[in-house]
Amino acid sequence: MSFDVEAVRAQFPILHRRVNGGELVYLDNGASSQKPQRVIDEVARYYREFNSNIHRGVHHLSQQATEAYEHARETVRAHINAEHAREVLFTGGTTHGINLVASAWGRRHLSRGDEVLVTAMEHHSNIVPWQLICEERGAKLRVLPVNRAGELVMDELEKLLTARTRMVALAHVSNSLGTINPVARVIEMAHARGAAVLVDGAQAAPHLQLDVRELGADFYAFSGHKVFAPTGIGALYGKLELLEDMPPYQGGGEMIERVTFDKTTFADLPHKFEAGTPNIAGGIGLGAALHWFGELDADAVAAHEQDLLAYATGRLKEIERLSIIGTARDKACVISFVLEGAHPSDVGALLNQQGVAVRTGHHCTQPLMDFYGISGTVRASFALYNNRADADALAAGVARAAKMLA
Ligand code: PLP
């Protein structure tokens, strides 16, 4: 099988619209990806044909919706190669998943003097929940540094993993730099010291083949909307024995077995962590998206994205005064850059005038921006449906901006 980018583009209706007089060049996939017709159709079909609440209904629609929702869970399980479907929790997204672990796992496992290790390139979603629980439990947050290329300083990891390290939380792929971190190695080293590992897979899910068992991750969180699915849905993988041992995160309907005013007992996994009516349409949409994604030849997709990364990087490097932030050897198709003398948001606004959508600012990684001594970058983040013409439009737009902002 090979990868036909034009055939893939044809499946994304939004890519055919025009913005500011030009054809849309969508390079803000790191923030949120577009949705293929198949996903849009599946979500619409749920509302059109069997919309109803799940799990407790005896009627036909409820049973059909329950089946579709649980089928989606099974699709997620298979996609990430988890052993059991009950190790897959539906969440609102990566942020929700990380908060769930920080709160429920942290309350059980962190005490005074314990340490949680994050990296200097984390998204705020993988910093703040740990800060909150560390403060509550009297634990300390430690930080694994990065080098100027935007790679983890692995020699420091050995020193930072102490007898008090209980959790290592790190991104699989950096949203600001594109760095693909050596998570398997980090997990191996953390486990050797008895620490658990949470992997923030928000940016890895749309680019890499995920295999939580091969990685050995204890927890793996990602968002649906970055992987061609709707917003407001995501998944959290947790190893069975860890999830079973954790107290509930939120209380309410769905997550109980029996409630009395004296005592409540909780439902089995995964429902123990899914209080309230879930995002049923979102779950179905996530299943459809991963099914769609899984039908593509993953190696061909990776080759296409690496070609785009090399091509777009080369084109941008032709532009004077432009510096790329994040030059790791192992990178996903994300290019952050600054133009000397120009504010990133001005560059972004000029690109927008030509229908080129990028993101500018700190990308929810302020500590990382502090490390580089900048307030933000312009970030072009590609998806599998982007092509070389998109990279050309980006380069032409940035060259124009460079002239105008000189
Ligand atoms: N982690 C990383 C690396 C991200 O890039 C993002 C979103 O940009 C998140 C976490 C948070 O994802 P969400 O807002 O979907 O919860």
Side-chain angles (χ1 to χ4, degrees), residues 174-178 309 313 316 322-327 331-339 359-363 365 368-369 372 374 376-382:
S174 155
N175 65 310
S176 294
L177 307 171
L309 174 64
T313 303
L316 289 173
L322 184 147
S323 310
I324 291 180
I325 307 293
T327 50
K331 264 186 82 168
C333 204
V334 174
I335 309 176
S336 256
F337 60 90
V338 289
L339 258 187
R359 189 143 296 243
T360 63
H362 54 64
H363 316 295
T365 53
L368 183 66
M369 297 296 121
Y372 281 106
I374 53 181
T377 72
V378 182
R379 183 188 70 182
S381 51
F382 294 72

PDB file of all heavy atoms in Angstrom, residues 174-178 309 313 316 322-327 331-339 359-363 365 368-369 372 374 376-382:
ATOM      1  N   SER A 174       6.555  16.641  21.485  1.00  0.00           N
ATOM      2  CA  SER A 174       6.387  18.021  21.960  1.00  0.00           C
ATOM      3  C   SER A 174       5.520  18.821  20.995  1.00  0.00           C
ATOM      4  O   SER A 174       5.785  18.847  19.788  1.00  0.00           O
ATOM      5  CB  SER A 174       7.758  18.689  22.094  1.00  0.00           C
ATOM      6  OG  SER A 174       7.617  20.098  21.990  1.00  0.00           O
ATOM      7  N   ASN A 175       4.519  19.512  21.546  1.00  0.00           N
ATOM      8  CA  ASN A 175       3.634  20.307  20.682  1.00  0.00           C
ATOM      9  C   ASN A 175       4.315  21.553  20.143  1.00  0.00           C
ATOM     10  O   ASN A 175       3.996  22.021  19.065  1.00  0.00           O
ATOM     11  CB  ASN A 175       2.351  20.696  21.433  1.00  0.00           C
ATOM     12  CG  ASN A 175       2.614  21.613  22.610  1.00  0.00           C
ATOM     13  OD1 ASN A 175       3.477  21.336  23.428  1.00  0.00           O
ATOM     14  ND2 ASN A 175       1.888  22.701  22.687  1.00  0.00           N
ATOM     15  N   SER A 176       5.290  22.089  20.879  1.00  0.00           N
ATOM     16  CA  SER A 176       5.937  23.324  20.447  1.00  0.00           C
ATOM     17  C   SER A 176       7.127  23.077  19.541  1.00  0.00           C
ATOM     18  O   SER A 176       7.447  23.926  18.712  1.00  0.00           O
ATOM     19  CB  SER A 176       6.424  24.116  21.659  1.00  0.00           C
ATOM     20  OG  SER A 176       5.331  24.543  22.413  1.00  0.00           O
ATOM     21  N   LEU A 177       7.788  21.939  19.731  1.00  0.00           N
ATOM     22  CA  LEU A 177       9.053  21.691  19.017  1.00  0.00           C
ATOM     23  C   LEU A 177       8.971  20.550  18.013  1.00  0.00           C
ATOM     24  O   LEU A 177       9.807  20.452  17.118  1.00  0.00           O
ATOM     25  CB  LEU A 177      10.161  21.332  20.031  1.00  0.00           C
ATOM     26  CG  LEU A 177      10.362  22.306  21.192  1.00  0.00           C
ATOM     27  CD1 LEU A 177      11.324  21.708  22.207  1.00  0.00           C
ATOM     28  CD2 LEU A 177      10.894  23.632  20.668  1.00  0.00           C
ATOM     29  N   GLY A 178       8.036  19.668  18.230  1.00  0.00           N
ATOM     30  CA  GLY A 178       7.926  18.483  17.377  1.00  0.00           C
ATOM     31  C   GLY A 178       8.814  17.327  17.814  1.00  0.00           C
ATOM     32  O   GLY A 178       8.727  16.229  17.250  1.00  0.00           O
ATOM     33  N   LEU A 309       8.144  17.295   6.323  1.00  0.00           N
ATOM     34  CA  LEU A 309       8.959  17.975   7.337  1.00  0.00           C
ATOM     35  C   LEU A 309      10.268  18.451   6.713  1.00  0.00           C
ATOM     36  O   LEU A 309      10.661  19.616   6.879  1.00  0.00           O
ATOM     37  CB  LEU A 309       9.238  17.020   8.508  1.00  0.00           C
ATOM     38  CG  LEU A 309      10.198  17.531   9.584  1.00  0.00           C
ATOM     39  CD1 LEU A 309       9.623  18.744  10.310  1.00  0.00           C
ATOM     40  CD2 LEU A 309      10.493  16.419  10.615  1.00  0.00           C
ATOM     41  N   THR A 313      10.960  22.377   6.029  1.00  0.00           N
ATOM     42  CA  THR A 313      12.101  22.921   6.777  1.00  0.00           C
ATOM     43  C   THR A 313      13.079  23.566   5.798  1.00  0.00           C
ATOM     44  O   THR A 313      13.554  24.694   6.018  1.00  0.00           O
ATOM     45  CB  THR A 313      12.800  21.805   7.589  1.00  0.00           C
ATOM     46  OG1 THR A 313      11.831  21.205   8.452  1.00  0.00           O
ATOM     47  CG2 THR A 313      13.941  22.353   8.423  1.00  0.00           C
ATOM     48  N   LEU A 316      11.696  26.883   4.478  1.00  0.00           N
ATOM     49  CA  LEU A 316      11.727  27.973   5.474  1.00  0.00           C
ATOM     50  C   LEU A 316      13.154  28.457   5.731  1.00  0.00           C
ATOM     51  O   LEU A 316      13.388  29.637   5.967  1.00  0.00           O
ATOM     52  CB  LEU A 316      11.070  27.519   6.786  1.00  0.00           C
ATOM     53  CG  LEU A 316       9.550  27.348   6.728  1.00  0.00           C
ATOM     54  CD1 LEU A 316       9.026  26.737   8.022  1.00  0.00           C
ATOM     55  CD2 LEU A 316       8.844  28.689   6.475  1.00  0.00           C
ATOM     56  N   LEU A 322      15.186  34.016   9.692  1.00  0.00           N
ATOM     57  CA  LEU A 322      14.290  33.019  10.281  1.00  0.00           C
ATOM     58  C   LEU A 322      15.110  31.958  11.029  1.00  0.00           C
ATOM     59  O   LEU A 322      16.081  31.437  10.483  1.00  0.00           O
ATOM     60  CB  LEU A 322      13.449  32.360   9.179  1.00  0.00           C
ATOM     61  CG  LEU A 322      12.388  31.346   9.620  1.00  0.00           C
ATOM     62  CD1 LEU A 322      11.178  31.394   8.683  1.00  0.00           C
ATOM     63  CD2 LEU A 322      12.915  29.924   9.693  1.00  0.00           C
ATOM     64  N   SER A 323      14.715  31.684  12.260  1.00  0.00           N
ATOM     65  CA  SER A 323      15.379  30.614  13.021  1.00  0.00           C
ATOM     66  C   SER A 323      14.338  29.592  13.439  1.00  0.00           C
ATOM     67  O   SER A 323      13.284  29.953  13.970  1.00  0.00           O
ATOM     68  CB  SER A 323      16.026  31.146  14.300  1.00  0.00           C
ATOM     69  OG  SER A 323      16.814  32.261  14.022  1.00  0.00           O
ATOM     70  N   ILE A 324      14.695  28.350  13.227  1.00  0.00           N
ATOM     71  CA  ILE A 324      13.788  27.272  13.644  1.00  0.00           C
ATOM     72  C   ILE A 324      14.076  26.932  15.102  1.00  0.00           C
ATOM     73  O   ILE A 324      15.231  26.788  15.503  1.00  0.00           O
ATOM     74  CB  ILE A 324      13.955  26.061  12.709  1.00  0.00           C
ATOM     75  CG1 ILE A 324      13.406  26.462  11.335  1.00  0.00           C
ATOM     76  CG2 ILE A 324      13.257  24.817  13.265  1.00  0.00           C
ATOM     77  CD1 ILE A 324      13.474  25.440  10.264  1.00  0.00           C
ATOM     78  N   ILE A 325      13.003  26.852  15.874  1.00  0.00           N
ATOM     79  CA  ILE A 325      13.128  26.509  17.299  1.00  0.00           C
ATOM     80  C   ILE A 325      12.713  25.048  17.429  1.00  0.00           C
ATOM     81  O   ILE A 325      11.546  24.708  17.221  1.00  0.00           O
ATOM     82  CB  ILE A 325      12.191  27.386  18.174  1.00  0.00           C
ATOM     83  CG1 ILE A 325      12.417  28.883  17.899  1.00  0.00           C
ATOM     84  CG2 ILE A 325      12.356  27.063  19.655  1.00  0.00           C
ATOM     85  CD1 ILE A 325      13.745  29.434  18.329  1.00  0.00           C
ATOM     86  N   GLY A 326      13.671  24.209  17.765  1.00  0.00           N
ATOM     87  CA  GLY A 326      13.379  22.774  17.847  1.00  0.00           C
ATOM     88  C   GLY A 326      13.982  22.068  16.649  1.00  0.00           C
ATOM     89  O   GLY A 326      13.383  22.023  15.567  1.00  0.00           O
ATOM     90  N   THR A 327      15.192  21.566  16.870  1.00  0.00           N
ATOM     91  CA  THR A 327      15.900  20.927  15.756  1.00  0.00           C
ATOM     92  C   THR A 327      16.360  19.528  16.173  1.00  0.00           C
ATOM     93  O   THR A 327      17.464  19.100  15.856  1.00  0.00           O
ATOM     94  CB  THR A 327      17.127  21.782  15.345  1.00  0.00           C
ATOM     95  OG1 THR A 327      17.886  22.086  16.537  1.00  0.00           O
ATOM     96  CG2 THR A 327      16.698  23.093  14.699  1.00  0.00           C
ATOM     97  N   LYS A 331      11.980  14.072  14.919  1.00  0.00           N
ATOM     98  CA  LYS A 331      10.905  15.078  14.988  1.00  0.00           C
ATOM     99  C   LYS A 331       9.650  14.638  14.251  1.00  0.00           C
ATOM    100  O   LYS A 331       9.735  13.990  13.200  1.00  0.00           O
ATOM    101  CB  LYS A 331      11.391  16.377  14.309  1.00  0.00           C
ATOM    102  CG  LYS A 331      11.954  17.433  15.231  1.00  0.00           C
ATOM    103  CD  LYS A 331      12.263  18.735  14.481  1.00  0.00           C
ATOM    104  CE  LYS A 331      11.030  19.600  14.282  1.00  0.00           C
ATOM    105  NZ  LYS A 331      11.358  20.971  13.825  1.00  0.00           N
ATOM    106  N   ALA A 332       8.517  15.027  14.772  1.00  0.00           N
ATOM    107  CA  ALA A 332       7.257  14.910  14.024  1.00  0.00           C
ATOM    108  C   ALA A 332       7.129  16.165  13.163  1.00  0.00           C
ATOM    109  O   ALA A 332       7.934  17.095  13.270  1.00  0.00           O
ATOM    110  CB  ALA A 332       6.081  14.794  14.982  1.00  0.00           C
ATOM    111  N   CYS A 333       6.108  16.203  12.328  1.00  0.00           N
ATOM    112  CA  CYS A 333       5.995  17.268  11.320  1.00  0.00           C
ATOM    113  C   CYS A 333       5.429  18.556  11.925  1.00  0.00           C
ATOM    114  O   CYS A 333       4.305  18.971  11.613  1.00  0.00           O
ATOM    115  CB  CYS A 333       5.138  16.768  10.175  1.00  0.00           C
ATOM    116  SG  CYS A 333       5.497  17.655   8.671  1.00  0.00           S
ATOM    117  N   VAL A 334       6.223  19.149  12.813  1.00  0.00           N
ATOM    118  CA  VAL A 334       5.866  20.399  13.491  1.00  0.00           C
ATOM    119  C   VAL A 334       7.066  21.324  13.342  1.00  0.00           C
ATOM    120  O   VAL A 334       8.177  20.927  13.654  1.00  0.00           O
ATOM    121  CB  VAL A 334       5.613  20.144  15.001  1.00  0.00           C
ATOM    122  CG1 VAL A 334       5.386  21.453  15.744  1.00  0.00           C
ATOM    123  CG2 VAL A 334       4.441  19.205  15.205  1.00  0.00           C
ATOM    124  N   ILE A 335       6.836  22.530  12.850  1.00  0.00           N
ATOM    125  CA  ILE A 335       7.966  23.458  12.691  1.00  0.00           C
ATOM    126  C   ILE A 335       7.620  24.769  13.388  1.00  0.00           C
ATOM    127  O   ILE A 335       6.701  25.488  12.997  1.00  0.00           O
ATOM    128  CB  ILE A 335       8.281  23.737  11.204  1.00  0.00           C
ATOM    129  CG1 ILE A 335       8.427  22.408  10.434  1.00  0.00           C
ATOM    130  CG2 ILE A 335       9.572  24.551  11.092  1.00  0.00           C
ATOM    131  CD1 ILE A 335       8.635  22.594   8.940  1.00  0.00           C
ATOM    132  N   SER A 336       8.387  25.054  14.441  1.00  0.00           N
ATOM    133  CA  SER A 336       8.245  26.316  15.165  1.00  0.00           C
ATOM    134  C   SER A 336       9.374  27.219  14.710  1.00  0.00           C
ATOM    135  O   SER A 336      10.504  26.760  14.553  1.00  0.00           O
ATOM    136  CB  SER A 336       8.404  26.073  16.669  1.00  0.00           C
ATOM    137  OG  SER A 336       7.172  26.092  17.325  1.00  0.00           O
ATOM    138  N   PHE A 337       9.074  28.481  14.531  1.00  0.00           N
ATOM    139  CA  PHE A 337      10.158  29.381  14.129  1.00  0.00           C
ATOM    140  C   PHE A 337       9.902  30.799  14.616  1.00  0.00           C
ATOM    141  O   PHE A 337       8.777  31.156  14.973  1.00  0.00           O
ATOM    142  CB  PHE A 337      10.358  29.360  12.604  1.00  0.00           C
ATOM    143  CG  PHE A 337       9.153  29.775  11.812  1.00  0.00           C
ATOM    144  CD1 PHE A 337       8.937  31.105  11.462  1.00  0.00           C
ATOM    145  CD2 PHE A 337       8.219  28.831  11.405  1.00  0.00           C
ATOM    146  CE1 PHE A 337       7.826  31.487  10.725  1.00  0.00           C
ATOM    147  CE2 PHE A 337       7.099  29.206  10.680  1.00  0.00           C
ATOM    148  CZ  PHE A 337       6.894  30.538  10.335  1.00  0.00           C
ATOM    149  N   VAL A 338      10.976  31.581  14.620  1.00  0.00           N
ATOM    150  CA  VAL A 338      10.856  33.019  14.912  1.00  0.00           C
ATOM    151  C   VAL A 338      11.520  33.768  13.767  1.00  0.00           C
ATOM    152  O   VAL A 338      12.442  33.257  13.122  1.00  0.00           O
ATOM    153  CB  VAL A 338      11.524  33.401  16.265  1.00  0.00           C
ATOM    154  CG1 VAL A 338      10.729  32.860  17.431  1.00  0.00           C
ATOM    155  CG2 VAL A 338      12.960  32.907  16.353  1.00  0.00           C
ATOM    156  N   LEU A 339      11.012  34.955  13.512  1.00  0.00           N
ATOM    157  CA  LEU A 339      11.603  35.854  12.510  1.00  0.00           C
ATOM    158  C   LEU A 339      12.190  37.023  13.280  1.00  0.00           C
ATOM    159  O   LEU A 339      11.436  37.712  13.989  1.00  0.00           O
ATOM    160  CB  LEU A 339      10.505  36.407  11.595  1.00  0.00           C
ATOM    161  CG  LEU A 339      10.292  35.859  10.213  1.00  0.00           C
ATOM    162  CD1 LEU A 339       9.269  36.715   9.486  1.00  0.00           C
ATOM    163  CD2 LEU A 339      11.562  35.767   9.407  1.00  0.00           C
ATOM    164  N   ARG A 359      -0.418  28.687  14.140  1.00  0.00           N
ATOM    165  CA  ARG A 359      -0.634  29.153  15.519  1.00  0.00           C
ATOM    166  C   ARG A 359       0.574  29.959  15.972  1.00  0.00           C
ATOM    167  O   ARG A 359       1.708  29.634  15.597  1.00  0.00           O
ATOM    168  CB  ARG A 359      -0.852  27.981  16.462  1.00  0.00           C
ATOM    169  CG  ARG A 359      -1.293  28.416  17.845  1.00  0.00           C
ATOM    170  CD  ARG A 359      -2.295  27.467  18.415  1.00  0.00           C
ATOM    171  NE  ARG A 359      -3.519  27.472  17.629  1.00  0.00           N
ATOM    172  CZ  ARG A 359      -4.715  27.839  18.084  1.00  0.00           C
ATOM    173  NH1 ARG A 359      -4.853  28.275  19.325  1.00  0.00           N
ATOM    174  NH2 ARG A 359      -5.777  27.772  17.320  1.00  0.00           N
ATOM    175  N   THR A 360       0.320  30.994  16.733  1.00  0.00           N
ATOM    176  CA  THR A 360       1.428  31.803  17.235  1.00  0.00           C
ATOM    177  C   THR A 360       1.275  31.961  18.744  1.00  0.00           C
ATOM    178  O   THR A 360       0.169  31.862  19.266  1.00  0.00           O
ATOM    179  CB  THR A 360       1.425  33.217  16.606  1.00  0.00           C
ATOM    180  OG1 THR A 360       0.219  33.884  16.985  1.00  0.00           O
ATOM    181  CG2 THR A 360       1.509  33.156  15.092  1.00  0.00           C
ATOM    182  N   GLY A 361       2.408  32.151  19.419  1.00  0.00           N
ATOM    183  CA  GLY A 361       2.349  32.359  20.863  1.00  0.00           C
ATOM    184  C   GLY A 361       3.198  31.341  21.591  1.00  0.00           C
ATOM    185  O   GLY A 361       4.122  30.766  21.013  1.00  0.00           O
ATOM    186  N   HIS A 362       2.825  31.086  22.853  1.00  0.00           N
ATOM    187  CA  HIS A 362       3.677  30.194  23.674  1.00  0.00           C
ATOM    188  C   HIS A 362       3.227  28.735  23.606  1.00  0.00           C
ATOM    189  O   HIS A 362       3.874  27.854  24.162  1.00  0.00           O
ATOM    190  CB  HIS A 362       3.728  30.689  25.116  1.00  0.00           C
ATOM    191  CG  HIS A 362       2.377  30.890  25.752  1.00  0.00           C
ATOM    192  ND1 HIS A 362       1.496  29.861  25.967  1.00  0.00           N
ATOM    193  CD2 HIS A 362       1.761  32.010  26.201  1.00  0.00           C
ATOM    194  CE1 HIS A 362       0.409  30.325  26.553  1.00  0.00           C
ATOM    195  NE2 HIS A 362       0.529  31.644  26.689  1.00  0.00           N
ATOM    196  N   HIS A 363       2.124  28.484  22.934  1.00  0.00           N
ATOM    197  CA  HIS A 363       1.626  27.114  22.717  1.00  0.00           C
ATOM    198  C   HIS A 363       1.433  26.355  24.045  1.00  0.00           C
ATOM    199  O   HIS A 363       1.643  25.135  24.104  1.00  0.00           O
ATOM    200  CB  HIS A 363       2.549  26.320  21.781  1.00  0.00           C
ATOM    201  CG  HIS A 363       2.996  27.113  20.600  1.00  0.00           C
ATOM    202  ND1 HIS A 363       2.134  27.570  19.631  1.00  0.00           N
ATOM    203  CD2 HIS A 363       4.223  27.578  20.245  1.00  0.00           C
ATOM    204  CE1 HIS A 363       2.806  28.267  18.732  1.00  0.00           C
ATOM    205  NE2 HIS A 363       4.062  28.289  19.076  1.00  0.00           N
ATOM    206  N   THR A 365       3.268  26.357  26.552  1.00  0.00           N
ATOM    207  CA  THR A 365       4.548  25.832  27.059  1.00  0.00           C
ATOM    208  C   THR A 365       5.401  27.025  27.490  1.00  0.00           C
ATOM    209  O   THR A 365       6.493  27.224  26.961  1.00  0.00           O
ATOM    210  CB  THR A 365       5.301  25.005  25.994  1.00  0.00           C
ATOM    211  OG1 THR A 365       5.418  25.818  24.794  1.00  0.00           O
ATOM    212  CG2 THR A 365       4.607  23.719  25.635  1.00  0.00           C
ATOM    213  N   LEU A 368       9.026  26.413  28.580  1.00  0.00           N
ATOM    214  CA  LEU A 368       9.909  26.110  27.447  1.00  0.00           C
ATOM    215  C   LEU A 368      10.299  27.390  26.707  1.00  0.00           C
ATOM    216  O   LEU A 368      11.456  27.571  26.307  1.00  0.00           O
ATOM    217  CB  LEU A 368       9.206  25.130  26.497  1.00  0.00           C
ATOM    218  CG  LEU A 368      10.028  24.669  25.294  1.00  0.00           C
ATOM    219  CD1 LEU A 368      11.217  23.822  25.740  1.00  0.00           C
ATOM    220  CD2 LEU A 368       9.155  23.865  24.320  1.00  0.00           C
ATOM    221  N   MET A 369       9.338  28.299  26.544  1.00  0.00           N
ATOM    222  CA  MET A 369       9.642  29.582  25.897  1.00  0.00           C
ATOM    223  C   MET A 369      10.649  30.367  26.755  1.00  0.00           C
ATOM    224  O   MET A 369      11.574  30.988  26.225  1.00  0.00           O
ATOM    225  CB  MET A 369       8.365  30.413  25.696  1.00  0.00           C
ATOM    226  CG  MET A 369       7.331  29.773  24.780  1.00  0.00           C
ATOM    227  SD  MET A 369       7.881  29.561  23.079  1.00  0.00           S
ATOM    228  CE  MET A 369       7.724  27.794  22.852  1.00  0.00           C
ATOM    229  N   TYR A 372      14.096  29.216  26.076  1.00  0.00           N
ATOM    230  CA  TYR A 372      14.666  29.748  24.827  1.00  0.00           C
ATOM    231  C   TYR A 372      14.792  31.277  24.861  1.00  0.00           C
ATOM    232  O   TYR A 372      15.325  31.869  23.931  1.00  0.00           O
ATOM    233  CB  TYR A 372      13.801  29.341  23.628  1.00  0.00           C
ATOM    234  CG  TYR A 372      14.038  27.910  23.188  1.00  0.00           C
ATOM    235  CD1 TYR A 372      13.108  26.918  23.458  1.00  0.00           C
ATOM    236  CD2 TYR A 372      15.200  27.556  22.511  1.00  0.00           C
ATOM    237  CE1 TYR A 372      13.326  25.605  23.059  1.00  0.00           C
ATOM    238  CE2 TYR A 372      15.432  26.251  22.113  1.00  0.00           C
ATOM    239  CZ  TYR A 372      14.494  25.280  22.395  1.00  0.00           C
ATOM    240  OH  TYR A 372      14.724  23.991  22.007  1.00  0.00           O
ATOM    241  N   ILE A 374      12.341  33.478  24.651  1.00  0.00           N
ATOM    242  CA  ILE A 374      11.433  34.096  23.682  1.00  0.00           C
ATOM    243  C   ILE A 374      10.013  34.101  24.268  1.00  0.00           C
ATOM    244  O   ILE A 374       9.718  33.341  25.182  1.00  0.00           O
ATOM    245  CB  ILE A 374      11.422  33.332  22.321  1.00  0.00           C
ATOM    246  CG1 ILE A 374      11.136  31.831  22.540  1.00  0.00           C
ATOM    247  CG2 ILE A 374      12.750  33.513  21.586  1.00  0.00           C
ATOM    248  CD1 ILE A 374      11.127  30.999  21.269  1.00  0.00           C
ATOM    249  N   GLY A 376       7.316  33.611  22.306  1.00  0.00           N
ATOM    250  CA  GLY A 376       6.523  32.652  21.546  1.00  0.00           C
ATOM    251  C   GLY A 376       7.153  32.382  20.188  1.00  0.00           C
ATOM    252  O   GLY A 376       8.210  32.940  19.866  1.00  0.00           O
ATOM    253  N   THR A 377       6.485  31.541  19.433  1.00  0.00           N
ATOM    254  CA  THR A 377       6.960  31.208  18.081  1.00  0.00           C
ATOM    255  C   THR A 377       5.765  31.245  17.121  1.00  0.00           C
ATOM    256  O   THR A 377       4.612  31.362  17.549  1.00  0.00           O
ATOM    257  CB  THR A 377       7.555  29.776  18.009  1.00  0.00           C
ATOM    258  OG1 THR A 377       6.486  28.817  18.101  1.00  0.00           O
ATOM    259  CG2 THR A 377       8.578  29.523  19.101  1.00  0.00           C
ATOM    260  N   VAL A 378       6.078  31.124  15.849  1.00  0.00           N
ATOM    261  CA  VAL A 378       5.058  30.798  14.853  1.00  0.00           C
ATOM    262  C   VAL A 378       5.171  29.285  14.686  1.00  0.00           C
ATOM    263  O   VAL A 378       6.278  28.773  14.513  1.00  0.00           O
ATOM    264  CB  VAL A 378       5.350  31.477  13.498  1.00  0.00           C
ATOM    265  CG1 VAL A 378       4.250  31.157  12.491  1.00  0.00           C
ATOM    266  CG2 VAL A 378       5.523  32.977  13.676  1.00  0.00           C
ATOM    267  N   ARG A 379       4.058  28.587  14.766  1.00  0.00           N
ATOM    268  CA  ARG A 379       4.131  27.128  14.651  1.00  0.00           C
ATOM    269  C   ARG A 379       3.284  26.641  13.475  1.00  0.00           C
ATOM    270  O   ARG A 379       2.079  26.875  13.440  1.00  0.00           O
ATOM    271  CB  ARG A 379       3.632  26.467  15.937  1.00  0.00           C
ATOM    272  CG  ARG A 379       3.741  24.946  15.902  1.00  0.00           C
ATOM    273  CD  ARG A 379       3.080  24.300  17.083  1.00  0.00           C
ATOM    274  NE  ARG A 379       1.619  24.416  17.038  1.00  0.00           N
ATOM    275  CZ  ARG A 379       0.799  23.962  17.974  1.00  0.00           C
ATOM    276  NH1 ARG A 379       1.283  23.403  19.074  1.00  0.00           N
ATOM    277  NH2 ARG A 379      -0.508  24.088  17.855  1.00  0.00           N
ATOM    278  N   ALA A 380       3.948  25.970  12.548  1.00  0.00           N
ATOM    279  CA  ALA A 380       3.226  25.297  11.468  1.00  0.00           C
ATOM    280  C   ALA A 380       3.223  23.813  11.816  1.00  0.00           C
ATOM    281  O   ALA A 380       4.282  23.193  11.923  1.00  0.00           O
ATOM    282  CB  ALA A 380       3.932  25.530  10.136  1.00  0.00           C
ATOM    283  N   SER A 381       2.043  23.273  12.025  1.00  0.00           N
ATOM    284  CA  SER A 381       1.958  21.850  12.386  1.00  0.00           C
ATOM    285  C   SER A 381       1.149  21.141  11.299  1.00  0.00           C
ATOM    286  O   SER A 381       0.013  21.498  11.018  1.00  0.00           O
ATOM    287  CB  SER A 381       1.324  21.691  13.759  1.00  0.00           C
ATOM    288  OG  SER A 381       0.113  22.406  13.849  1.00  0.00           O
ATOM    289  N   PHE A 382       1.781  20.160  10.689  1.00  0.00           N
ATOM    290  CA  PHE A 382       1.216  19.479   9.525  1.00  0.00           C
ATOM    291  C   PHE A 382       0.447  18.223   9.935  1.00  0.00           C
ATOM    292  O   PHE A 382       0.723  17.627  10.976  1.00  0.00           O
ATOM    293  CB  PHE A 382       2.341  19.077   8.570  1.00  0.00           C
ATOM    294  CG  PHE A 382       3.061  20.254   7.938  1.00  0.00           C
ATOM    295  CD1 PHE A 382       3.917  21.059   8.685  1.00  0.00           C
ATOM    296  CD2 PHE A 382       2.880  20.542   6.595  1.00  0.00           C
ATOM    297  CE1 PHE A 382       4.574  22.137   8.105  1.00  0.00           C
ATOM    298  CE2 PHE A 382       3.529  21.615   5.997  1.00  0.00           C
ATOM    299  CZ  PHE A 382       4.379  22.419   6.762  1.00  0.00           C
TER     300      PHE A 382
END
